[in-house]
Amino acid sequence: MTANEPRTDNDPPSDHRACQGSAVPLDATAAERRLGRVPEWELRQGHLCRSFHCGTFRQSLALIEAIADIAEKLNHHPNLSWENKREVTVVLWTHKMDGLTGLDFDLAAEIDAAYSALQVPV
């Protein structure tokens, strides 16, 4: 998958109705309980967030590509922020549900695994 293509005012809005399938929003207690499965992530204002530090610019690009592949596979698309060449921040929440669902935590776990696979032992 390639990076987001620029949109114009004439482009139709993205259709994210299929993103969540039959996802059900989690209450705060259920979200806290699931947070134990992805310990490096944190809950901030109803969003699941984590920043990933990459050793090189190339690793940052590889992580973004891996996240794109995982998101396509799960049909759930995260918000990404690229703070600098070596810092990738991921924010997850299910916009259709206006909250977190189990799919967000599944995506977080898969992103963690992809990040671990990209790390070069020192």
Side-chain angles (χ1 to χ4, degrees):
M1 178 174 184
T2 60
N4 290 338
E5 295 178 13
R7 290 180 36 87
T8 68
D9 289 337
N10 296 329
D11 290 336
S14 298
D15 183 2
H16 293 287
R17 288 176 293 178
C19 291
Q20 289 76 37
S22 61
V24 176
L26 301 171
D27 62 25
T29 303
E32 285 285 342
R33 198 170 37 248
R34 287 195 182 215
L35 192 59
R37 297 181 191 169
V38 287
E40 299 295 321
W41 293 76
E42 63 180 298
L43 292 173
R44 277 190 246 149
Q45 300 175 346
H47 296 71
L48 190 58
C49 307
R50 180 170 178 197
S51 290
F52 295 89
H53 180 75
C54 299
T56 66
F57 178 65
R58 189 174 304 275
Q59 283 180 331
S60 292
L61 290 173
L63 178 60
I64 290 169
E65 184 71 23
I67 292 170
D69 290 343
I70 294 164
E72 286 298 310
K73 180 179 81 174
L74 293 178
N75 197 25
H76 190 55
H77 306 97
N79 294 317
L80 296 175
S81 173
W82 207 349
E83 300 299 322
N84 61 49
K85 292 179 182 179
R86 295 183 181 162
E87 196 79 21
V88 178
T89 301
V90 181
V91 178
L92 303 175
W93 69 293
T94 302
H95 49 79
K96 180 179 173 187
M97 302 296 175
D98 199 27
L100 292 168
T101 68
L103 191 54
D104 296 299
F105 289 89
D106 294 344
L107 182 56
E110 291 211 28
I111 292 170
D112 282 347
Y115 177 70
S116 292
L118 290 172
Q119 298 310 300
V120 178
V122 181

PDB file of all heavy atoms in Angstrom, residues 38-52:
ATOM      1  N   VAL A  38      -2.019  -4.912  25.571  1.00  0.00           N
ATOM      2  CA  VAL A  38      -1.117  -4.066  24.772  1.00  0.00           C
ATOM      3  C   VAL A  38      -0.461  -3.048  25.722  1.00  0.00           C
ATOM      4  O   VAL A  38      -0.771  -1.870  25.717  1.00  0.00           O
ATOM      5  CB  VAL A  38      -1.865  -3.366  23.607  1.00  0.00           C
ATOM      6  CG1 VAL A  38      -2.210  -4.358  22.514  1.00  0.00           C
ATOM      7  CG2 VAL A  38      -3.127  -2.662  24.080  1.00  0.00           C
ATOM      8  N   PRO A  39       0.468  -3.523  26.561  1.00  0.00           N
ATOM      9  CA  PRO A  39       0.978  -2.712  27.671  1.00  0.00           C
ATOM     10  C   PRO A  39       1.705  -1.428  27.294  1.00  0.00           C
ATOM     11  O   PRO A  39       1.775  -0.510  28.110  1.00  0.00           O
ATOM     12  CB  PRO A  39       1.913  -3.673  28.412  1.00  0.00           C
ATOM     13  CG  PRO A  39       2.243  -4.738  27.433  1.00  0.00           C
ATOM     14  CD  PRO A  39       1.083  -4.844  26.506  1.00  0.00           C
ATOM     15  N   GLU A  40       2.221  -1.318  26.111  1.00  0.00           N
ATOM     16  CA  GLU A  40       2.939  -0.102  25.721  1.00  0.00           C
ATOM     17  C   GLU A  40       1.995   1.015  25.278  1.00  0.00           C
ATOM     18  O   GLU A  40       2.409   2.159  25.089  1.00  0.00           O
ATOM     19  CB  GLU A  40       3.940  -0.404  24.603  1.00  0.00           C
ATOM     20  CG  GLU A  40       5.007  -1.417  24.980  1.00  0.00           C
ATOM     21  CD  GLU A  40       5.919  -0.915  26.076  1.00  0.00           C
ATOM     22  OE1 GLU A  40       6.274   0.279  26.071  1.00  0.00           O
ATOM     23  OE2 GLU A  40       6.275  -1.725  26.953  1.00  0.00           O
ATOM     24  N   TRP A  41       0.739   0.702  25.087  1.00  0.00           N
ATOM     25  CA  TRP A  41      -0.257   1.673  24.637  1.00  0.00           C
ATOM     26  C   TRP A  41      -0.865   2.359  25.847  1.00  0.00           C
ATOM     27  O   TRP A  41      -0.833   1.856  26.951  1.00  0.00           O
ATOM     28  CB  TRP A  41      -1.331   0.972  23.823  1.00  0.00           C
ATOM     29  CG  TRP A  41      -0.831   0.440  22.524  1.00  0.00           C
ATOM     30  CD1 TRP A  41      -0.077  -0.682  22.341  1.00  0.00           C
ATOM     31  CD2 TRP A  41      -1.040   0.995  21.235  1.00  0.00           C
ATOM     32  NE1 TRP A  41       0.202  -0.861  21.005  1.00  0.00           N
ATOM     33  CE2 TRP A  41      -0.385   0.151  20.301  1.00  0.00           C
ATOM     34  CE3 TRP A  41      -1.721   2.104  20.761  1.00  0.00           C
ATOM     35  CZ2 TRP A  41      -0.388   0.407  18.947  1.00  0.00           C
ATOM     36  CZ3 TRP A  41      -1.740   2.354  19.399  1.00  0.00           C
ATOM     37  CH2 TRP A  41      -1.071   1.508  18.507  1.00  0.00           C
ATOM     38  N   GLU A  42      -1.469   3.526  25.632  1.00  0.00           N
ATOM     39  CA  GLU A  42      -2.154   4.221  26.708  1.00  0.00           C
ATOM     40  C   GLU A  42      -3.492   4.766  26.214  1.00  0.00           C
ATOM     41  O   GLU A  42      -3.672   5.005  25.016  1.00  0.00           O
ATOM     42  CB  GLU A  42      -1.295   5.332  27.292  1.00  0.00           C
ATOM     43  CG  GLU A  42      -0.947   6.431  26.321  1.00  0.00           C
ATOM     44  CD  GLU A  42      -0.081   7.507  26.963  1.00  0.00           C
ATOM     45  OE1 GLU A  42      -0.536   8.154  27.916  1.00  0.00           O
ATOM     46  OE2 GLU A  42       1.043   7.677  26.488  1.00  0.00           O
ATOM     47  N   LEU A  43      -4.391   4.923  27.150  1.00  0.00           N
ATOM     48  CA  LEU A  43      -5.693   5.511  26.841  1.00  0.00           C
ATOM     49  C   LEU A  43      -5.612   7.006  27.096  1.00  0.00           C
ATOM     50  O   LEU A  43      -5.202   7.443  28.159  1.00  0.00           O
ATOM     51  CB  LEU A  43      -6.782   4.895  27.715  1.00  0.00           C
ATOM     52  CG  LEU A  43      -7.104   3.435  27.450  1.00  0.00           C
ATOM     53  CD1 LEU A  43      -8.075   2.904  28.502  1.00  0.00           C
ATOM     54  CD2 LEU A  43      -7.678   3.255  26.052  1.00  0.00           C
ATOM     55  N   ARG A  44      -5.968   7.780  26.064  1.00  0.00           N
ATOM     56  CA  ARG A  44      -5.994   9.238  26.182  1.00  0.00           C
ATOM     57  C   ARG A  44      -7.281   9.750  25.564  1.00  0.00           C
ATOM     58  O   ARG A  44      -7.478   9.625  24.358  1.00  0.00           O
ATOM     59  CB  ARG A  44      -4.821   9.876  25.430  1.00  0.00           C
ATOM     60  CG  ARG A  44      -3.539   9.902  26.207  1.00  0.00           C
ATOM     61  CD  ARG A  44      -2.517  10.763  25.488  1.00  0.00           C
ATOM     62  NE  ARG A  44      -1.434   9.889  25.051  1.00  0.00           N
ATOM     63  CZ  ARG A  44      -0.697  10.065  23.984  1.00  0.00           C
ATOM     64  NH1 ARG A  44      -0.905  11.073  23.182  1.00  0.00           N
ATOM     65  NH2 ARG A  44       0.259   9.223  23.687  1.00  0.00           N
ATOM     66  N   GLN A  45      -8.148  10.302  26.376  1.00  0.00           N
ATOM     67  CA  GLN A  45      -9.403  10.897  25.911  1.00  0.00           C
ATOM     68  C   GLN A  45     -10.180   9.951  25.011  1.00  0.00           C
ATOM     69  O   GLN A  45     -10.672  10.322  23.945  1.00  0.00           O
ATOM     70  CB  GLN A  45      -9.127  12.212  25.192  1.00  0.00           C
ATOM     71  CG  GLN A  45      -8.457  13.233  26.076  1.00  0.00           C
ATOM     72  CD  GLN A  45      -8.088  14.492  25.327  1.00  0.00           C
ATOM     73  OE1 GLN A  45      -8.090  14.532  24.094  1.00  0.00           O
ATOM     74  NE2 GLN A  45      -7.756  15.524  26.066  1.00  0.00           N
ATOM     75  N   GLY A  46     -10.275   8.698  25.434  1.00  0.00           N
ATOM     76  CA  GLY A  46     -11.048   7.722  24.680  1.00  0.00           C
ATOM     77  C   GLY A  46     -10.356   7.157  23.452  1.00  0.00           C
ATOM     78  O   GLY A  46     -10.975   6.463  22.658  1.00  0.00           O
ATOM     79  N   HIS A  47      -9.091   7.472  23.290  1.00  0.00           N
ATOM     80  CA  HIS A  47      -8.311   6.976  22.165  1.00  0.00           C
ATOM     81  C   HIS A  47      -7.190   6.081  22.694  1.00  0.00           C
ATOM     82  O   HIS A  47      -6.688   6.284  23.793  1.00  0.00           O
ATOM     83  CB  HIS A  47      -7.694   8.127  21.380  1.00  0.00           C
ATOM     84  CG  HIS A  47      -8.702   9.021  20.743  1.00  0.00           C
ATOM     85  ND1 HIS A  47      -9.504   9.881  21.452  1.00  0.00           N
ATOM     86  CD2 HIS A  47      -9.041   9.193  19.450  1.00  0.00           C
ATOM     87  CE1 HIS A  47     -10.296  10.543  20.623  1.00  0.00           C
ATOM     88  NE2 HIS A  47     -10.035  10.143  19.394  1.00  0.00           N
ATOM     89  N   LEU A  48      -6.790   5.123  21.892  1.00  0.00           N
ATOM     90  CA  LEU A  48      -5.677   4.235  22.209  1.00  0.00           C
ATOM     91  C   LEU A  48      -4.464   4.772  21.462  1.00  0.00           C
ATOM     92  O   LEU A  48      -4.498   4.897  20.233  1.00  0.00           O
ATOM     93  CB  LEU A  48      -6.037   2.824  21.752  1.00  0.00           C
ATOM     94  CG  LEU A  48      -5.146   1.669  22.163  1.00  0.00           C
ATOM     95  CD1 LEU A  48      -5.038   1.575  23.681  1.00  0.00           C
ATOM     96  CD2 LEU A  48      -5.709   0.363  21.610  1.00  0.00           C
ATOM     97  N   CYS A  49      -3.398   5.133  22.193  1.00  0.00           N
ATOM     98  CA  CYS A  49      -2.273   5.842  21.588  1.00  0.00           C
ATOM     99  C   CYS A  49      -0.937   5.193  21.925  1.00  0.00           C
ATOM    100  O   CYS A  49      -0.758   4.653  23.012  1.00  0.00           O
ATOM    101  CB  CYS A  49      -2.219   7.282  22.104  1.00  0.00           C
ATOM    102  SG  CYS A  49      -3.753   8.190  21.940  1.00  0.00           S
ATOM    103  N   ARG A  50      -0.039   5.288  20.993  1.00  0.00           N
ATOM    104  CA  ARG A  50       1.341   4.863  21.230  1.00  0.00           C
ATOM    105  C   ARG A  50       2.254   5.537  20.214  1.00  0.00           C
ATOM    106  O   ARG A  50       1.924   5.680  19.042  1.00  0.00           O
ATOM    107  CB  ARG A  50       1.493   3.352  21.086  1.00  0.00           C
ATOM    108  CG  ARG A  50       2.940   2.929  21.348  1.00  0.00           C
ATOM    109  CD  ARG A  50       3.160   1.471  21.464  1.00  0.00           C
ATOM    110  NE  ARG A  50       4.590   1.237  21.676  1.00  0.00           N
ATOM    111  CZ  ARG A  50       5.181   0.093  21.503  1.00  0.00           C
ATOM    112  NH1 ARG A  50       4.487  -0.960  21.158  1.00  0.00           N
ATOM    113  NH2 ARG A  50       6.475  -0.033  21.695  1.00  0.00           N
ATOM    114  N   SER A  51       3.427   5.947  20.694  1.00  0.00           N
ATOM    115  CA  SER A  51       4.478   6.457  19.810  1.00  0.00           C
ATOM    116  C   SER A  51       5.551   5.397  19.685  1.00  0.00           C
ATOM    117  O   SER A  51       5.907   4.746  20.666  1.00  0.00           O
ATOM    118  CB  SER A  51       5.081   7.743  20.370  1.00  0.00           C
ATOM    119  OG  SER A  51       4.148   8.787  20.293  1.00  0.00           O
ATOM    120  N   PHE A  52       6.044   5.223  18.487  1.00  0.00           N
ATOM    121  CA  PHE A  52       7.080   4.236  18.192  1.00  0.00           C
ATOM    122  C   PHE A  52       8.340   4.972  17.779  1.00  0.00           C
ATOM    123  O   PHE A  52       8.310   5.771  16.846  1.00  0.00           O
ATOM    124  CB  PHE A  52       6.642   3.314  17.051  1.00  0.00           C
ATOM    125  CG  PHE A  52       5.454   2.472  17.393  1.00  0.00           C
ATOM    126  CD1 PHE A  52       4.167   2.938  17.160  1.00  0.00           C
ATOM    127  CD2 PHE A  52       5.615   1.214  17.948  1.00  0.00           C
ATOM    128  CE1 PHE A  52       3.073   2.156  17.475  1.00  0.00           C
ATOM    129  CE2 PHE A  52       4.522   0.431  18.266  1.00  0.00           C
ATOM    130  CZ  PHE A  52       3.250   0.908  18.030  1.00  0.00           C
TER     131      PHE A  52
END
